[in-house]
């Protein structure tokens, strides 16, 4: 086993974190029970924040970011995993408080891992990644609160992003009528291909409404945006409907009243993918892989290399990334002109 490997390292500077690709040794890795060869990671909104030093998510530098990964076990002190086992890791603040997936090697706790879901290879698992896992959790929460395909239109905000794109596709597969919200009109055809029936411009829902209750429009919602858009969505929910809130690209503040909850009996459901219990995590991955096969993910996936991450980290925060971005950790890959990364 080679003693050195390549990693994207964040160093603290007075102007914020600075990223560089550098060689590391196995002894540089933090403590953990399982040593992994990392094949793929993903680019998520939180990764963009970390790369830009936003949100105070990383406290200690130097740091290896990357909040999810798919790889192969090299060594394990835990009997649940043996050398050669393919595994996936999302959550547990890996990439924030513990070194993450933007390196060819990672050392992690065994409790943080799940076996590679049946039907996925490492690249496909990261094409789904944290975004797909979160989208599946959100839809299951809506179903747990009574949502069924015949209930009416289901809204997906931030639909062109990673969580939104996968949510649209999953809901369409399950037979729901999907209304997709996007700020980029050029993505309308893309969202229709994923299964959206109706496209709403982001501007239609971007501001806090002047009334606490609006016309009842949606039976459910997967909200990836938060902020003023979530306020607008809550005012327009149908009686007994539910909103699964799983993002804050539009802000963490929520300006609303109790009236939608008291007069229409709606539910605001918080979705946390980071500390999701293992039993639910395994069941969610199994269902996600069954509903969203690898070939379905190709139309929404761009592949990049470690050297592309500083640029793409800025793009995802600016809302210019469509669908999912996977990071091929073992080599540097620049996307072909015209792919779906920043179109």
């Amino acid at each position: 086993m080679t003693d050195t490997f390549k990693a994207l390292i964040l160093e603290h500077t007075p102007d914020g974190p600075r990223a560089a690709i550098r060689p590391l040794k196995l002894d540089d890795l933090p403590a953990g029970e399982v040593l992994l060869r990392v094949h793929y990671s993903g680019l998520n909104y939180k990764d963009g924040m970390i790369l830009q030093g936003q949100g105070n998510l990383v406290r200690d530098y130097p740091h290896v970011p990357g909040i999810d990964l798919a790889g192969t076990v090299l060594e394990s002190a835990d009997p649940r995993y043996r050398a050669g086992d393919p595994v996936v890791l999302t959550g547990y603040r890996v990439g924030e408080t513990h070194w993450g997936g933007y390196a060819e090697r990672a050392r992690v706790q065994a409790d943080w891992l799940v076996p590679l879901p049946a039907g996925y290879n490492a690249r496909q698992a990261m094409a789904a990644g944290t975004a797909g896992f979160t989208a599946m959790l959100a839809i299951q929460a809506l179903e747990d609160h009574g949502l069924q395909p015949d209930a009416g239109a289901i809204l997906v905000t931030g639909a062109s992003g990673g969580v939104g794109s996968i949510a649209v596709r999953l809901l369409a597969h399950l037979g729901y009528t999907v209304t997709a919200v996007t700020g980029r009109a050029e993505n309308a055809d893309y969202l229709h291909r994923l299964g959206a029936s109706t496209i709403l411009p982001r501007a239609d829902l971007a501001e806090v409404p002047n009334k606490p209750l609006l016309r009842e429009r949606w039976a459910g919602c997967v909200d990836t945006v938060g902020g003023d858009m979530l306020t607008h969505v809550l005012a327009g929910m149908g009686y007994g409907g539910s909103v699964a809130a799983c993002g804050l690209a539009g802000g963490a503040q929520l300006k609303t009243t109790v009236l939608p909850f008291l007069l229409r009996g709606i539910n605001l459901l918080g979705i946390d993918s980071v500390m999701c219990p293992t039993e639910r995590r395994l069941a969610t991955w199994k269902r996600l892989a069954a509903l969203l096969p690898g070939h379905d993910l190709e139309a929404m996936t761009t592949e990049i290399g470690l050297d592309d991450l500083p640029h793409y980290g800025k793009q995802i925060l600016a809302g210019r990334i469509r669908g999912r971005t996977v990071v091929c950790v073992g080599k540097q890959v620049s996307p072909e002109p015209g792919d779906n990364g920043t179109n």
Side-chain angles (χ1 to χ4, degrees):
M1 185 188 307
T2 179
D3 190 45
T4 62
F5 58 92
K6 182 176 61 180
L8 184 140
I9 303 291
L10 289 182
E11 297 278 4
H12 180 71
T13 77
D15 298 323
R18 179 175 297 168
I21 297 175
R22 296 179 181 169
L24 291 177
K25 295 183 178 181
L26 293 179
D27 289 344
D28 295 324
L29 291 172
E33 300 161 329
V34 184
L35 177 67
L36 304 174
R37 182 192 305 275
V38 180
H39 302 305
Y40 284 92
S41 186
L43 176 65
N44 304 279
Y45 192 87
K46 187 183 286 186
D47 292 311
M49 295 177 67
I50 290 169
L51 288 165
Q52 295 300 307
Q54 297 183 10
N56 203 26
L57 295 169
V58 175
R59 308 290 179 86
D60 297 316
Y61 293 89
H63 180 71
V64 176
I67 69 167
D68 50 18
L69 62 88
T72 303
V73 174
L74 293 173
E75 298 174 356
S76 176
D78 188 287
R80 288 173 290 179
Y81 296 101
R82 297 182 297 178
D85 287 348
V87 293
V88 171
L89 192 158
T90 63
Y92 297 103
R93 301 201 69 193
V94 169
E96 300 177 57
T97 61
H98 190 92
W99 283 13
Y102 294 165
E104 292 177 311
R105 301 289 186 271
R107 188 178 284 124
V108 300
Q109 298 300 318
D111 284 343
W112 301 344
L113 298 170
V114 298
L116 181 73
Y120 280 167
N121 58 32
R123 184 182 188 276
Q124 292 163 343
M126 283 298 96
T130 297
F133 181 66
T134 302
M136 192 76 259
L137 284 173
I139 292 168
Q140 290 176 159
L142 295 174
E143 292 173 334
D144 290 345
H145 283 76
L147 186 66
Q148 297 180 358
D150 61 359
I154 311 303
L155 190 70
V156 178
T157 66
S160 297
V163 178
S165 291
I166 295 179
V168 169
R169 190 63 171 163
L170 289 171
L171 287 164
H173 271 320
L174 290 167
Y176 290 91
T177 301
V178 181
T179 297
V181 182
T182 182
R184 301 174 66 191
E186 65 271 22
N187 286 334
D189 287 344
Y190 162 79
L191 292 168
H192 281 308
R193 290 195 299 271
L194 293 182
S197 299
T198 304
I199 310 297
L200 278 183
R202 179 171 57 201
D204 286 6
L205 302 178
E207 297 181 356
V208 174
N210 57 12
K211 297 186 294 184
L213 293 174
L214 302 173
R215 174 172 61 91
E216 298 181 37
R217 302 176 69 180
W218 306 291
C221 173
V222 176
D223 175 58
T224 74
V225 176
D228 291 349
M229 183 171 291
L230 177 54
T231 301
H232 201 127
V233 169
L234 291 171
M237 292 300 299
Y239 188 88
S242 298
V243 178
C246 55
L248 45 62
Q253 298 300 315
L254 185 60
K255 307 166 188 174
T256 189
T257 73
V258 298
L259 293 182
F261 308 99
L262 300 183
L263 299 184
R264 289 187 180 165
I266 68 170
N267 307 290
L268 179 58
L269 312 174
I271 306 302
D272 170 52
S273 66
V274 175
M275 303 305 296
C276 178
T278 299
E279 184 176 352
R280 185 185 306 162
R281 188 178 291 268
L282 290 168
T284 299
W285 270 112
K286 181 178 180 179
R287 190 179 183 203
L288 175 61
L291 285 173
L292 193 68
H295 63 81
D296 256 15
L297 288 159
E298 287 302 318
M300 63 180 87
T301 302
T302 300
E303 183 173 314
I304 65 173
L306 289 176
D307 57 336
D308 298 307
L309 277 165
H311 167 72
Y312 274 74
K314 294 176 182 177
Q315 295 294 309
I316 199 169
L317 294 183
R320 295 176 185 150
I321 297 291
R322 192 179 76 184
R324 285 289 291 153
T325 302
V326 297
V327 183
C328 184
V329 174
K331 60 181 179 180
Q332 289 146 345
V333 178
S334 293
E336 294 296 326
D339 72 10
N340 68 358
T342 56
N343 288 351

